[in-house]
């Protein structure tokens, strides 16, 4: 799993969430963040990974970190919606 770029690792983590493997997904998102620190995609992965594991506090932290890094308005709007859901204690996946 250490192979792949930031997007490929993110997509793999999302596949694991869809397969109901949240702990494995979080491991992939953590690896991605270690390889690609401070990037929008890596921070969004951590938000999704922590959310999938029921850790909404950490998920919210990373969603807020990702928001200013969003590349365009649709992404900024999507993150804003995620922040609302996480603040309400709801999974974003």
């Amino acid at each position: 799993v250490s192979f792949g770029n930031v997007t490929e690792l993110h997509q793999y983590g999302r596949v694991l969430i869809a397969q109901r493997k949240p702990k494995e997904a979080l491991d992939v998102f953590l690896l991605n963040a270690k390889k690609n620190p401070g990037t929008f995609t890596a921070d969004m992965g951590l938000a999704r990974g922590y959310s999938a594991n029921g850790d909404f506090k950490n998920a919210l932290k990373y969603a807020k970190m990702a928001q200013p890094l969003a590349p365009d308005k649709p992404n900024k709007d999507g993150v804003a919606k995620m922040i609302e859901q996480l603040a309400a204690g709801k999974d974003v996946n």
Side-chain angles (χ1 to χ4, degrees), residues 23-38:
K23 288 181 179 33
E24 294 89 338
L26 182 55
D27 288 343
V28 171
F29 292 133
L30 287 166
L31 171 68
N32 202 13
K34 186 176 178 181
K35 286 180 66 177
N36 303 285

Side-chain angles (χ1 to χ4, degrees), residues 7-83:
T7 304
E8 291 164 340
L9 287 170
H10 182 80
Q11 291 304 326
Y12 181 56
R14 293 199 61 180
V15 166
L16 290 170
I17 288 173
Q19 293 174 346
R20 292 190 164 77
K21 297 179 181 174
K23 288 181 179 33
E24 294 89 338
L26 182 55
D27 288 343
V28 171
F29 292 133
L30 287 166
L31 171 68
N32 202 13
K34 186 176 178 181
K35 286 180 66 177
N36 303 285
T39 62
F40 173 72
T41 302
D43 287 346
M44 285 303 296
L46 289 172
R48 288 191 176 280
Y50 281 115
S51 178
N53 283 279
D55 184 348
F56 302 121
K57 182 180 176 187
N58 269 317
L60 183 59
K61 173 182 142 184
Y62 285 102
K64 287 180 176 179
M65 288 170 58
Q67 193 170 32
L69 304 173
D72 53 31
K73 183 163 174 28
N75 277 291
K76 284 188 193 310
D77 292 347
V79 177
K81 185 177 177 187
M82 285 179 79
I83 288 171

